[in-house]
Amino acid sequence: MTAQLHIRLPTETTPRTIALEATCAVGRDADNHLVIDDPLVSRHHALIRLLSGNQYYVTDLGSSNGTFLNGRLVTVPALLKSGDEIQIGGAKLKLDWPQDSAAAPLATMADTPIATLLNFTSQTVAILVVDIREFTKLSETIPTADLARFVGGWFSDVNQTIEQHGGRIDKFIGDAVMACWVQAPGVTSPEFVIAPLTVAQKLLRLAESHHTKLVTEYPALSFRIGCGIHTGQASLGNIGKVAGRDFTAMGDCVNVTFRIEALCKEQARPILVSRAIKEIAGAAFQFDDCGARQVKGRAEPVHVFALRN
């Protein structure tokens, strides 16, 4: 069954229901999928999105008055389950999603019953993981409303930048974003690797811009990110009973990318990549050799390189 949104607007006496597609942009402007004519609603307020085949998330896009999930302000992309209520301005949106497998994000193939895997194939991918540094400190220091507006603007920029360069956001894990680029079968072009490298560079510049905005109000804080990029074989396909929606990438390649991103803090470098990324990128980018590093969950060390900016 298709997911549905039951919508109650303050200007309408009768609730209405719409089918919830893979993406639903909500806001006051006419270019949104769901238009809410309410002065409390920003022009582009929030995004409800299906990721990893069967997981709906709601993301605030840096709105002026916030997005609320079950009465709590949304600060980072929040996973939805059937029955959840989203409040945007005076509108209340209730999710009807009978599959409800969205309650348990899936990270590895080993964690997933084989009966739930549909149409999985092994393909070459490039994975980008972007994480906000010291997010706990930010969340403990900045008032919740300011944090939601600030971080919402950041995730909006991340989403737009990734999609502009042909990537697909696979999942949100707290304040981290995982995106994927798939190498087309039979194509040897390095573009599927160049794209996430370019995105990482752009996100680093955007992070500097967000940092400048942050310190004008909170001089003792900083806004920094870490980016890990890796390429290899991953299992791609739909999860659950909803085929043809979206894919999720799973396997060792994904896990290694998260480990590489975690090394950014240790190495004091904002963008780290694997040897495979460096070799495919060729002379288009410059790297500094950071050596082989031991990472959690792997017997063999991972050789990482820092992207020069």
Side-chain angles (χ1 to χ4, degrees), residues 51-65:
L51 299 175
S52 297
N54 69 339
Q55 299 172 22
Y56 274 106
Y57 288 82
V58 60
T59 306
D60 186 86
L61 300 179
S63 66
S64 298
N65 295 298

Side-chain angles (χ1 to χ4, degrees), residues 44-117:
H44 298 97
H45 195 109
L47 184 67
I48 302 171
R49 190 168 187 183
L50 184 69
L51 299 175
S52 297
N54 69 339
Q55 299 172 22
Y56 274 106
Y57 288 82
V58 60
T59 306
D60 186 86
L61 300 179
S63 66
S64 298
N65 295 298
T67 300
F68 295 82
L69 174 61
N70 299 326
R72 299 186 65 178
L73 187 65
V74 173
T75 53
V76 299
L79 186 65
L80 300 173
K81 62 181 184 298
S82 188
D84 279 348
E85 184 176 82
I86 303 165
Q87 182 163 352
I88 296 174
K92 294 183 178 180
L93 319 175
K94 187 174 182 180
L95 176 65
D96 183 6
W97 182 225
Q99 282 77 6
D100 207 36
S101 51
L106 302 173
T108 64
M109 211 168 198
D111 297 330
T112 310
I114 193 65
T116 67
L117 302 179

Side-chain angles (χ1 to χ4, degrees), residues 9-306:
L9 299 176
T11 56
E12 298 178 359
T13 57
T14 305
R16 57 189 171 100
T17 299
I18 64 169
L20 186 58
E21 301 297 335
T23 300
C24 181
V26 185
R28 203 173 66 247
D29 267 14
D31 59 354
N32 290 283
H33 300 97
L34 176 58
V35 178
I36 302 177
D37 187 13
D38 182 339
L40 295 176
V41 176
S42 296
R43 293 173 56 246
H44 298 97
H45 195 109
L47 184 67
I48 302 171
R49 190 168 187 183
L50 184 69
L51 299 175
S52 297
N54 69 339
Q55 299 172 22
Y56 274 106
Y57 288 82
V58 60
T59 306
D60 186 86
L61 300 179
S63 66
S64 298
N65 295 298
T67 300
F68 295 82
L69 174 61
N70 299 326
R72 299 186 65 178
L73 187 65
V74 173
T75 53
V76 299
L79 186 65
L80 300 173
K81 62 181 184 298
S82 188
D84 279 348
E85 184 176 82
I86 303 165
Q87 182 163 352
I88 296 174
K92 294 183 178 180
L93 319 175
K94 187 174 182 180
L95 176 65
D96 183 6
W97 182 225
Q99 282 77 6
D100 207 36
S101 51
L106 302 173
T108 64
M109 211 168 198
D111 297 330
T112 310
I114 193 65
T116 67
L117 302 179
L118 302 177
N119 302 321
F120 267 74
T121 60
S122 180
Q123 295 188 52
T124 302
V125 299
I127 303 291
L128 166 67
V129 173
V130 184
D131 190 37
I132 300 174
R133 288 282 165 265
E134 299 184 329
F135 182 75
T136 300
K137 183 178 180 180
L138 293 178
S139 63
E140 291 175 348
T141 306
I142 303 175
T144 304
D146 288 350
L147 180 70
R149 185 164 53 251
F150 179 79
V151 176
W154 165 249
F155 280 114
S156 178
D157 285 346
V158 171
N159 180 79
Q160 184 177 20
T161 305
I162 288 171
E163 292 191 343
Q164 281 176 346
H165 291 271
R168 302 179 70 176
I169 293 179
D170 187 289
K171 57 177 65 72
F172 297 105
I173 302 176
D175 56 290
V177 178
M178 171 186 151
C180 182
W181 284 259
V182 181
Q183 184 182 38
V187 177
T188 58
S189 168
E191 179 56 35
F192 82 106
V193 160
I194 291 174
L197 286 166
T198 303
V199 166
Q201 289 181 320
K202 288 188 174 183
L203 292 181
L204 197 60
R205 291 193 290 272
L206 284 168
E208 290 293 338
S209 175
H210 282 268
H211 170 77
T212 301
K213 295 176 185 176
L214 179 68
V215 297
T216 58
E217 295 185 54
Y218 302 95
L221 298 178
S222 63
F223 186 79
R224 299 285 183 259
I225 63 170
C227 302
I229 309 174
H230 180 45
T231 182
Q233 292 294 114
S235 296
L236 301 183
N238 298 286
I239 296 178
K241 300 177 181 178
V242 186
R245 284 288 197 164
D246 205 344
F247 69 77
T248 187
M250 300 192 295
D252 184 62
C253 177
V254 174
N255 297 332
V256 170
T257 311
F258 276 93
R259 303 309 183 198
I260 291 173
E261 186 281 321
L263 290 172
C264 288
K265 187 174 182 179
E266 173 191 310
Q267 297 296 308
R269 303 298 290 264
I271 305 173
L272 290 178
V273 310
S274 64
R275 180 187 291 276
I277 289 286
K278 175 184 178 296
E279 291 177 349
I280 295 173
F285 296 86
Q286 298 298 311
F287 301 90
D288 294 324
D289 191 340
C290 295
R293 302 292 167 184
Q294 199 67 45
V295 297
K296 182 180 178 181
R298 286 181 67 86
E300 295 296 322
V302 177
H303 203 120
V304 294
F305 297 82

